[in-house]
């Protein structure tokens, strides 16, 4: 594997690890900074998470558009340097408002997945794009696995230790990228920067005009909302239904992350050879409807644990869909497209947790019409089914 690709995969993995590294220690850190109760800390934790996702939504297209104009290399390297500094600020922060400001900056620097995807699109032939986007998905999955595990271990050395580790990892990768990352944006594909196409609303409006791309963005959005049921609900669902311990919940999520990495990093290639990109998207949607339905009704914790890695099999949807959309735009619009997809994902991360947790409360709380803790997974199955219908009617340009 070429060193620039290694750098891109490490950058994406750090985006996922950086979040997971600090998750185990955030409740203790917020109580330490505020001197308040766990309930108050949880409230502020939600505010910080929403702020982080909102910044990704707003700045994903901006960074993508900047990379189309000035190149992928400066955007990626500068973001890593600022990310390292941001984690150092969080490591010494003594007030909730300083943490809040740091999460704003952190959300902006973490919006570079659009630029990483654009770089991968630049160096990939049309036939390689889906598989290479799968590598990015696998890297994100591995970061999702290792982040909480490493963060939990480092938390034993104090509430600030994970932040110093995250800063060190970001800085080290910036140095690595400085020496190995080559620029892929040349005069042939360089595009002037325009503010109207560097914000999420303007870029959605423009891209939606391209033949068949608007429906694909809708499909991508509904998939992201449905998929976010896992981080939003999994811990509450398994505790309510099977009384799983934190260790068991963490183990099951790690198992899910490993399975996702295997699917997007390896299995996607034979699936694409057999089904093609369009067939892979259809297969993934059908499989997701089945998996979400089974999770919603499963009555045994052992069966749910068996289902957990199987739930990653539909993960071919994202790279296959990204590849189809990447082929639907010009070479000088790759950063713009990937920025839009980053904003779509961030918007889903803003909306889905609120919706899914409300549905869970509505069907498990004291006023629930019927007791149904699996209701959020049924909702996800419905969303996936709707997305499949939209996809079947879409006819993107090539």
């Amino acid at each position: 594997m070429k060193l620039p690709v290694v750098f891109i995969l490490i950058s994406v993995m750090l985006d996922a690890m950086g979040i997971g590294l600090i998750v185990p220690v955030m409740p203790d850190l917020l109580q330490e900074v505020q001197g308040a109760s766990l309930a108050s800390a949880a409230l502020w934790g939600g505010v910080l998470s929403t702020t982080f996702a909102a910044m990704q939504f707003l700045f994903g297209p901006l960074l993508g558009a900047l990379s189309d104009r000035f190149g992928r290399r400066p955007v990626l390297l500068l973001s890593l340097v600022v990310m390292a500094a941001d984690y150092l600020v969080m490591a010494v922060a003594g007030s909730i408002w300083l943490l809040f400001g740091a999460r704003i900056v952190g959300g902006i620097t973490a919006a570079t997945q659009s630029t990483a995807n654009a770089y991968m699109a630049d160096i990939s032939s049309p036939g390689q794009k889906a598989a290479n986007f799968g590598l990015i998905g696998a890297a994100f999955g591995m970061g999702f696995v290792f982040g909480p595990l490493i963060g939990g271990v480092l938390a034993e050395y104090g509430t600030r230790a994970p932040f110093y580790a995250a800063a060190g990892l970001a800085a080290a990768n910036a140095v690595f990228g400085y020496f190995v990352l080559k620029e892929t944006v040349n005069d042939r594909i360089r595009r002037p920067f325009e503010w109207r196409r560097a914000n999420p609303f303007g870029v959605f409006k423009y891209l939606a005009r391209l033949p068949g791309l608007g429906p694909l963005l809708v499909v991508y959005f509904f998939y992201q909302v449905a998929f976010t049921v896992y981080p939003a609900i999994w811990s509450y669902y398994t505790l309510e239904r099977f009384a799983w311990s934190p260790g068991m919940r963490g183990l099951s999520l790690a198992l899910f992350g490993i399975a996702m990495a295997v699917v997007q990093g390896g299995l996607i290639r034979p699936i694409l050879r057999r089904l093609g990109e369009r067939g892979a998207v259809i297969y993934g949607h059908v499989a997701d409807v089945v998996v979400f339905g089974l999770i919603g009704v499963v009555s045994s914790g052992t069966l749910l644990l068996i289902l957990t890695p199987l739930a990653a099999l539909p993960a071919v949807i994202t790279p296959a869909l990204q590849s189809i959309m990447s082929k639907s735009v010009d070479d000088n619009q790759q950063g713009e497209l990937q920025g839009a997809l980053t904003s779509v994902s961030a918007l889903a991360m803003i909306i889905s947790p609120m919706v899914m947790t409300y549905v869970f409360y509505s069907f498990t709380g004291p006023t629930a019409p019927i007791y149904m803790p699996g209701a959020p997974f049924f909702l996800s199955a419905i969303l996936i089914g709707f997305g499949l219908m939209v996809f079947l009617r879409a006819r993107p340009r090539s």
Side-chain angles (χ1 to χ4, degrees), residues 16-353:
M17 282 186 63
I19 298 170
L21 273 170
I22 65 177
V23 165
V25 77
M26 281 303 286
D28 299 310
L29 176 64
L30 289 170
Q31 289 182 89
E32 176 185 310
V33 170
Q34 280 190 293
S37 66
L38 179 61
S40 178
L43 181 62
W44 269 104
V47 171
L48 296 181
S49 296
T50 300
T51 300
F52 187 89
M55 292 302 102
Q56 286 187 304
F57 168 72
L58 293 172
F59 284 87
L62 175 61
L63 295 185
L66 287 173
S67 77
D68 281 340
R69 171 63 180 87
F70 299 104
R72 321 296 184 206
R73 176 184 163 90
V75 171
L76 288 168
L77 295 182
L78 181 60
S79 294
L80 281 168
V81 172
V82 176
M83 180 186 292
D86 183 66
Y87 280 125
L88 287 177
V89 170
M90 294 190 74
V92 299
S95 73
I96 190 64
W97 295 110
L98 192 54
L99 285 175
F100 181 75
R103 283 290 79 187
I104 290 176
V105 176
I108 296 172
T109 60
T112 53
Q113 189 170 351
S114 61
T115 308
N117 281 327
Y119 188 96
M120 195 67 84
D122 292 342
I123 64 174
S124 304
S125 66
Q128 294 175 322
K129 285 187 176 181
N132 285 343
F133 285 141
L135 289 177
I136 289 182
F140 192 88
M142 294 311 296
F144 182 75
V145 172
F146 290 122
L149 293 177
I150 297 174
V153 172
L154 292 175
E156 298 296 324
Y157 298 94
T159 56
R160 311 291 176 146
F163 298 97
Y164 286 115
L169 288 171
N173 197 42
V175 173
F176 176 55
Y178 179 82
F179 289 105
V180 306
L181 191 65
K182 298 178 180 179
E183 185 55 68
T184 58
V185 175
N186 52 39
D187 291 337
R188 183 181 67 85
I189 65 173
R190 192 181 307 277
R191 186 167 57 82
F193 178 82
E194 300 177 56
W195 278 109
R196 64 186 177 86
R197 287 162 62 173
N199 68 84
F201 307 104
V203 74
F204 289 158
K205 182 179 179 180
Y206 173 77
L207 291 174
R209 295 174 184 166
L210 299 178
L213 195 58
L216 294 182
L217 289 172
V218 172
V219 174
Y220 190 82
F221 172 73
F222 276 99
Y223 173 73
Q224 293 296 330
V225 172
F227 179 82
T228 305
V229 72
Y230 289 115
I233 291 298
W234 189 260
S235 293
Y236 302 101
Y237 174 70
T238 53
L239 177 61
E240 173 71 22
R241 196 74 181 269
F242 308 112
W244 278 5
S245 66
M248 179 60 74
R249 298 196 295 270
L251 176 64
S252 63
L253 286 173
L255 185 63
F256 180 76
I258 292 171
M260 275 196 65
V262 171
V263 170
Q264 294 189 327
L267 292 181
I268 187 174
R269 297 173 189 272
I271 291 174
L272 287 171
R273 281 197 299 268
R274 179 172 292 272
L275 301 177
E277 291 170 352
R278 183 174 175 83
V281 174
I282 294 172
Y283 145 76
H285 277 79
V286 173
D288 247 342
V289 170
V290 174
V291 167
F292 283 135
L294 289 175
I295 292 176
V297 300
V298 68
S299 58
S300 164
T302 302
L303 288 177
L304 181 60
L305 201 58
I306 294 172
L307 272 175
T308 301
L310 298 179
L313 290 177
V316 296
I317 293 175
T318 302
L321 199 54
Q322 282 179 314
S323 179
I324 294 172
M325 287 188 282
S326 179
K327 295 174 184 176
S328 300
V329 302
D330 296 328
D331 289 342
N332 64 357
Q333 294 175 295
Q334 294 297 327
E336 183 178 20
L337 170 64
Q338 300 303 332
L341 296 183
T342 297
S343 285
V344 170
S345 299
L347 184 61
M349 286 295 296
I350 295 171
I351 295 173
S352 186

